């Protein structure tokens, strides 16, 4: 049983949920700010279910769509579909069930989430096809990830979301897009030679490694600006500012590693530092919302 869970968890890279989920939970906290960030167990559970289903659906589709390239790429040839550890039929079943799970969870949240859920599914799956025809595949992945905080916000507020909240929500979503663009470019460095030889698109292939890294750094700096603006719009205080500085430090370290170290260090820069970024963001937003600015200096 444990080995089966590990196999399927590895297939959809369940550990990478730490990227999108903290931003979704942070959005949930802000949306439920009038109740100190708590929307109730029912809404909280449905948000978690929708998040897990959406990400599982997206990753299953990615593995299905890329299975032939994965079999040719030395870095990915040991993945579950190329090696036969998981059958194509099983992967398709997981994709369909998880997609249906998102729609069901959205139905029990509110009509806005339910009506938008098919669009969300189309967006999160469409990313996997973009490397075949556009250099801006990272942007499409960023948009897919940015649906997490938008969805969580709408799960709490539904049609009652205010114009001010829409602005906050959009600023946070744009920050997530730029964050993803930056670290996905760094991740794509590992496949530069393979993608180039197989005519797969990315900004790394189109612009070259150094130019792409510069673009990634600029994306992360603009992301930091948007996170600062989000804090101002939410009227957060010193705890949020402390977290903001920690996030900047993590991103600067990530780019130092990408430029100064070998590709073997990319996994460290990609996973651990970006997981820390999302965790710090959730932590400081939670303190600001739950404590209602109680840690501010007076």
């Amino acid at each position: 049983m444990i080995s089966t869970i590990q196999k399927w968890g590895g297939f959809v890279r369940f550990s990478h949920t730490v990227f999108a989920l903290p931003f979704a939970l942070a959005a949930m906290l802000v949306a439920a700010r009038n109740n100190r960030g708590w929307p109730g167990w029912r809404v909280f559970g449905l948000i978690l279910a929708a998040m897990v289903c959406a990400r599982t659906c997206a990753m299953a589709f990615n593995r299905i769509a890329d299975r032939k390239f994965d079999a040719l790429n030395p870095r990915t040839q040991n993945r579950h579909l190329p090696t036969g550890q998981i059958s194509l039929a099983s992967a398709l079943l997981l994709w369909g069930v998880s997609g249906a799970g998102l729609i069901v969870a959205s139905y029990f949240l509110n009509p806005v989430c339910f009506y938008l859920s098919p669009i969300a599914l189309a967006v999160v799956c469409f990313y996997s096809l973009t490397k075949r025809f556009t250099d801006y595949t990272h942007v499409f992945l960023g948009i897919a990830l940015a649906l997490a905080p938008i969805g969580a916000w709408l799960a709490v507020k539904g049609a009652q979301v205010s114009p001010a909240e829409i602005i906050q929500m959009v600023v946070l979503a744009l920050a997530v897009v730029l964050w993803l663009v930056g670290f996905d470019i760094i991740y794509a460095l590992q496949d530069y030679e393979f993608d180039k030889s197989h005519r797969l698109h990315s900004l790394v292939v189109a612009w070259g490694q150094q130019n792409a890294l510069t673009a990634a750094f600029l994306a992360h700096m603009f992301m930091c600006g948007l996170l600062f603006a989000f804090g101002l719009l939410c009227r957060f205080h010193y705890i949020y500012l402390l977290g903001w500085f920690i996030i900047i430090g993590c991103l600067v370290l990530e780019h130092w590693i990408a430029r100064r170290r070998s590709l073997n260090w990319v996994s460290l820069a990609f996973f651990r530092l970006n997981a820390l970024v999302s965790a710090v963001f959730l932590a400081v937003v939670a303190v600001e919302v739950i404590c209602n600015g109680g840690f501010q200096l007076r």
Side-chain angles (χ1 to χ4, degrees):
M1 177 65 71
I2 293 176
S3 62
T4 300
I5 293 173
Q6 289 177 336
K7 180 177 70 173
W8 284 100
F11 175 65
V12 297
R13 288 294 183 93
F14 187 77
S15 59
H16 286 192
T17 306
V18 297
F19 296 144
L21 184 59
F23 281 94
L25 295 179
M28 178 198 75
L29 290 168
V30 179
R33 194 172 190 172
N34 291 337
N35 196 36
R36 290 295 180 90
W38 184 241
W41 282 107
R42 177 180 175 277
V43 173
F44 176 71
L46 288 171
I47 288 174
L48 286 181
M51 279 291 304
V52 171
C53 287
R55 194 189 174 282
T56 301
C57 180
M59 284 302 300
F61 185 80
N62 179 266
R63 294 297 187 252
I64 293 167
D66 285 354
R67 65 190 186 279
K68 294 181 180 179
F69 292 117
D70 287 344
L72 297 173
N73 189 339
R75 186 180 67 82
T76 59
Q77 62 187 5
N78 291 323
R79 285 178 176 173
H80 299 78
L81 283 179
T83 58
Q85 298 175 62
I86 289 176
S87 67
L88 178 59
S90 297
L92 286 168
L93 179 62
L94 177 65
W95 172 61
V97 170
S98 56
L102 171 64
I103 293 176
V104 171
S106 301
Y107 175 82
F108 286 105
L109 279 167
N110 57 59
V112 173
C113 290
F114 176 63
Y115 294 138
L116 292 178
S117 59
I119 299 175
L121 283 175
V123 171
V124 299
C125 291
F126 179 67
Y127 149 72
S128 296
L129 306 176
T130 57
K131 65 180 69 176
R132 293 159 174 80
F133 60 86
T134 177
D135 299 330
Y136 296 93
T137 177
H138 321 282
V139 176
F140 286 94
L141 180 57
I143 293 171
L145 200 72
L147 293 182
I150 292 176
W153 207 306
L154 293 177
V156 175
K157 300 304 289 282
Q160 303 302 315
V161 62
S162 68
E165 288 179 307
I166 291 175
I167 294 173
Q168 294 168 355
M169 186 169 56
V170 170
V171 169
L172 179 59
L174 288 175
V176 172
V177 171
L178 291 174
W179 175 54
L180 190 284
V181 167
F183 77 68
D184 194 53
I185 287 175
I186 294 175
Y187 188 71
L189 293 173
Q190 301 175 101
D191 294 328
Y192 172 69
E193 295 295 340
F194 179 84
D195 290 349
K196 189 175 181 180
S197 62
H198 287 79
R199 298 183 180 180
L200 293 175
H201 296 265
S202 74
L203 290 179
V204 179
V205 173
W207 293 353
Q209 293 172 303
Q210 294 305 312
N211 289 334
L213 278 174
T214 300
F217 181 76
L218 291 175
H220 278 161
M221 292 303 99
F222 279 114
M223 172 237 183
C224 291
L226 287 171
L227 287 185
F228 187 80
F230 179 74
L232 291 178
L233 289 169
C234 294
R235 289 178 287 185
F236 290 154
H237 304 97
Y238 294 98
I239 293 297
Y240 183 84
L241 188 61
L242 174 62
W244 184 72
F245 279 118
I246 294 174
I247 288 172
I248 291 177
C250 290
L251 295 176
V252 169
L253 178 57
E254 179 179 354
H255 285 273
W256 182 86
I257 291 174
R259 289 180 178 273
R260 302 290 183 177
R261 299 287 183 171
S262 66
L263 290 180
N264 294 331
W265 284 72
V266 167
S267 293
L268 172 66
F270 173 76
F271 186 80
R272 295 183 184 177
L273 288 173
N274 286 296
L276 182 59
V277 166
S278 57
V280 167
F281 181 77
L282 173 59
V284 295
V285 169
V287 169
E288 290 284 359
V289 172
I290 296 172
C291 298
N292 199 23
F295 285 88
Q296 72 177 101
L297 300 178
R298 298 184 184 276

